Amino acid sequence: MKMVTVHNNNHAVSLRTKSIELFDRLLRRDGGLLILLTLLAMPLLFSQFLLSDNGSNRALTESPAMMNVAEVNSHINMTALLESNPVDNIRPYDLDDLLRVIPYYDHAMALLIYDPIDDRFFAYYSTNHRWKRGCEELTVSIKMIVYILRRLFPQRFTPTSPEFAMVISAGDVPGVRVTSCVKKKDYPCSPLDLPPILHFGHVFQLPLFPSMIAMPSSKHLKCFNYWTRFGSVCEEFQPIRPGNPHGFVFGANVDLAWEYLVPQVIWRGEDHQVFQSIVSKLIPRGVTGSDAMDVLRDHIDELIPQYKGVVYTADAEREARETQSGKLPWANIKFSNHAKDSQMYLQFRQAGIPVTREYMDNKDLAKFRYQIDLGGGNSAGTLEKLAMPGALFHHATATKEYYFNRMKPYEHYIPIAPDLSDLWKKYIWAESESPGTAKKISEEGTKLAASFGTPEGFESIFEEYMRTPLLRVMEAYEPSMYKPWRTIVSDHVEGSSMKPIVRCTASGPYDCQNIVGKKFFQELRVDEDLIEEDQY
């Protein structure tokens, strides 16, 4: 078993750890030298244990429940960690290392293994993990990424190739266990030697899990899949036009000029659990209208950004009515009132709280001068808003997408604080104080979004966010030479809970089959209406 040692007696502990790791690797890869190595290593190992095992310097096992990550990582240069790219810091790893990742997750994480004997990929899921809303994103990502792997690296995945394995996860936020470290953002929350984790979706802004690599969510991943298959850009990244209703809405394509855009901050989307679990608890029964809005204002710091925007909009509308200036309210941030979710807002409509307005598609949203990306269901994404002719008020959150490193503040977007405390000031700056600068920012943001839709631009994007991370991960993996991968998984204390859920030949797109039936997932599924939604 590998050990992680607290760095108090640096020399003794470092030498001891290196000795153990060397012995471990030689044992696993050169079993014929076992007796000789044991005789040579025993004196050194024994002396180092005497030096270091004095109570305070005891080796810690790899169990996260026992590991003091902050102490183990106490030597880290935090500035360098913040600035580092996890793709550049991938270390050699093996299957045992991957199994160490399992306890850090609560849901939506899988072990993806290529078996050369079967010439197929297998996805394993832990029965100790939950199956929550959004886990479907994981299975969709698996079915697309195995096809990309097979097409990009055909010589690596053949019956004569060695095994390959990696950890992938997916979702709007990583499905990690919400420990005190994650809540306090007291990074890092995992050892630096944890193997790479390819997360398809938003990852943490801060390096809570330094080995986690941001990958495209399934919505964008299908465009990477399309490029792999056809060598051309998907329609979703190209301009909207007849026959392509889901493309980007560029001002030039829909005849919208900056000067004629509606001077409001616009957002539409849907809320789900948080609406009922937080807001409804704040408003006492029988409190309606302006009194209900007063309650929300008094608790503004407890509201999520979408609801803060709703309160700001209500105040802006009230001010416009009272002043009768003829000017539009500066904010137009509300939930969409349409389709099946309309019943969720019934209690608030009855209370006279103006939280909903008409649904808007991207062509409707593009008519406004200031976009804000507050997330939420059925809302336009950040990249879609960048493409629009208005300027993007980019809301800083705890998570980021894979391409955010290409976005620069005051070049491609206007940054907005996480609590929206500067939204009004930034609006005044853009609309009244520096409209020329705001227009220039809008134009640069549109150019950045447009680069996704050209062959030259997307080729660069594909190289940076798909081919390079996959290649680095593949090169870092060290296949087992001393026993079959299935034995390693089943014998490991964490691996024993892993069950195969999907197998893929990947000879074509989505060439996968489910191994388990609905009963498996039903047993892992939780009633999310009865639990409090995790907050990061």
Side-chain angles (χ1 to χ4, degrees), residues 370-385:
Y370 305 105
Q371 306 291 330
I372 186 166
D373 52 348
L374 295 178
N378 285 337
S379 62
T382 298
L383 192 59
E384 294 169 296
K385 290 177 180 287

Side-chain angles (χ1 to χ4, degrees), residues 23-173:
F23 182 80
D24 179 69
R25 293 206 181 272
L26 288 172
L27 170 63
R28 296 206 274 159
R29 289 162 175 74
D30 297 284
L33 298 177
L34 176 59
I35 297 176
L36 177 60
L37 287 172
T38 303
L39 293 174
L40 292 174
M42 281 303 294
L44 177 61
L45 291 173
F46 182 70
S47 63
Q48 296 306 324
F49 268 96
L50 289 178
L51 285 171
S52 62
D53 194 9
N54 58 10
S56 62
N57 285 346
R58 247 184 235 114
L60 301 175
T61 67
E62 294 174 344
S63 170
M66 300 174 63
M67 182 184 295
N68 185 336
V69 174
E71 194 171 9
V72 171
N73 289 339
S74 61
H75 63 290
I76 295 171
N77 182 327
M78 292 300 181
T79 301
L81 185 61
L82 277 171
E83 297 174 351
S84 66
N85 180 352
V87 175
D88 297 330
N89 297 322
I90 295 175
R91 307 175 183 215
Y93 70 95
D94 58 23
L95 191 51
D96 282 318
D97 293 323
L98 292 176
L99 293 167
R100 293 169 49 211
V101 178
I102 298 171
Y104 288 94
Y105 269 81
D106 172 79
H107 62 278
M109 169 245 148
L111 196 62
L112 184 62
I113 302 176
Y114 172 72
D115 182 10
I117 296 176
D118 284 341
D119 193 23
R120 288 189 292 191
F121 294 85
F122 292 85
Y124 278 69
Y125 197 83
S126 175
T127 56
N128 293 330
H129 289 174
R130 299 187 292 175
W131 192 262
K132 296 177 61 176
R133 183 189 298 121
C135 284
E136 289 77 8
E137 181 97 355
L138 176 66
T139 57
V140 170
S141 299
I142 289 170
K143 294 175 182 180
M144 285 192 279
I145 199 62
V146 293
Y147 175 72
I148 293 175
L149 283 168
R150 179 82 85 175
R151 286 294 297 267
L152 285 184
F153 312 104
Q155 301 304 315
R156 176 60 181 85
F157 301 104
T158 70
T160 59
S161 303
E163 74 187 45
F164 171 70
M166 66 179 181
V167 166
I168 70 171
S169 60
D172 288 340
V173 292

